[in-house]
Amino acid sequence: MNSFSLPLLAIVLWSVFSCSQSQKSTELKQAGTTLSNEKNRLTMKIDGREWSADREIFGSYHFNEALGPGLINIAGVKGDPPNDQPFNINLYNTSGPGLYKVAIAQGAKTKIHENVCQLAQYTPTNYLCGGLMLGNQLSVNITKASKNPQIVEATFSGTIHCVEGNTLTITDGKFYYHENND
C-alpha cells in the first residue's frame, strides 16, 4: 500500500464503524432503550452487610417460554469456587415493569412456576437460603424490562430462611442488566 491509501483505509474503516454504531443506537432508541456505559450489577445488603456480585451477572425478560411462562430472571455470583455465593430471583407470569412478590412460607408445599429467591453457600454450613424448600418473602420492583435487547432493572428487599434455621434480611437490593453491556 502506498502512503495515501493507509489514511484513506483508516477513514473508510472509521466511517463503517461509526455508521454501524449509529445504526445500533438508532435501533435501540426505536426499541425504547438507549445504550448505556453503566456496568451490569447486582448489589444488596444482607443483615446490614454489603454484598455485591462480581461475576456471572445476568438478567432476562421473557427470554424463552420453555423456561417458564413470562419469566424474569435476576442472577449473579460473588466470590470464587468452591466458596462462591450464587444468588438468583425467578419471577413467573410477569407482564413487564411492576411490583412482584416472592411469598413462599417456611415448609410450604410449592407449586411449579412459583416466584422464588435463592442464595447458595452463604457460609459452608449455611449452604442454602431461600429456594423452593425454605421460606422466602421478597418484594421485587421491576422498573425496566425489555426482550430485545434483553434489559432488566429492579430493586428488591425481604427475607429468606436458611438451612441453619436463621433468617437473612435483604435490604437495598439493586439490579441492573443490559445485554449490550456484557
Side-chain angles (χ1 to χ4, degrees):
M1 280 190 178
N2 63 35
S3 60
F4 177 72
S5 10
L6 282 176
L8 183 59
L9 178 62
I11 290 170
V12 169
L13 290 174
W14 178 80
S15 296
V16 169
F17 177 75
S18 295
C19 289
S20 68
Q21 286 298 100
S22 176
Q23 180 180 356
K24 186 174 187 177
S25 179
T26 301
E27 290 168 0
L28 289 173
K29 285 179 183 171
Q30 289 172 347
T33 60
T34 56
L35 285 173
S36 171
N37 291 331
E38 287 191 62
K39 288 187 73 165
N40 293 331
R41 64 189 173 281
L42 169 61
T43 62
M44 68 187 109
K45 289 182 182 175
I46 300 177
D47 290 340
R49 294 193 332 234
E50 297 289 334
W51 187 99
S52 182
D54 52 25
R55 63 187 176 90
E56 297 180 38
I57 298 166
F58 177 76
S60 67
Y61 173 70
H62 297 196
F63 181 73
N64 182 332
E65 290 299 307
L67 299 174
L71 174 65
I72 292 177
N73 175 250
I74 293 172
V77 179
K78 176 183 178 181
D80 296 315
N83 300 312
D84 54 349
Q85 299 174 349
F87 176 85
N88 72 292
I89 298 172
N90 288 338
L91 304 171
Y92 296 94
N93 302 305
T94 65
S95 58
L99 185 62
Y100 297 92
K101 298 287 185 185
V102 175
I104 297 177
Q106 184 71 2
K109 185 172 180 168
T110 57
K111 303 176 275 293
I112 191 165
H113 301 133
E114 187 167 4
N115 295 346
V116 65
C117 172
Q118 180 173 299
L119 173 65
Q121 301 178 166
Y122 187 61
T123 68
T125 57
N126 222 357
Y127 55 87
L128 181 62
C129 299
L132 292 173
M133 303 298 287
L134 300 164
N136 39 121
Q137 310 287 318
L138 271 82
S139 292
V140 183
N141 185 19
I142 303 296
T143 55
K144 190 177 236 182
S146 168
K147 186 173 171 93
N148 190 15
Q150 285 289 314
I151 292 175
V152 178
E153 295 179 22
T155 59
F156 55 93
S157 62
T159 59
I160 54 178
H161 299 280
C162 301
V163 295
E164 285 187 339
N166 63 314
T167 299
L168 301 179
T169 300
I170 295 173
T171 57
D172 299 323
K174 295 178 181 78
F175 183 71
Y176 179 95
Y177 177 81
H178 288 216
E179 80 174 311
N180 295 315
N181 293 349
D182 281 342

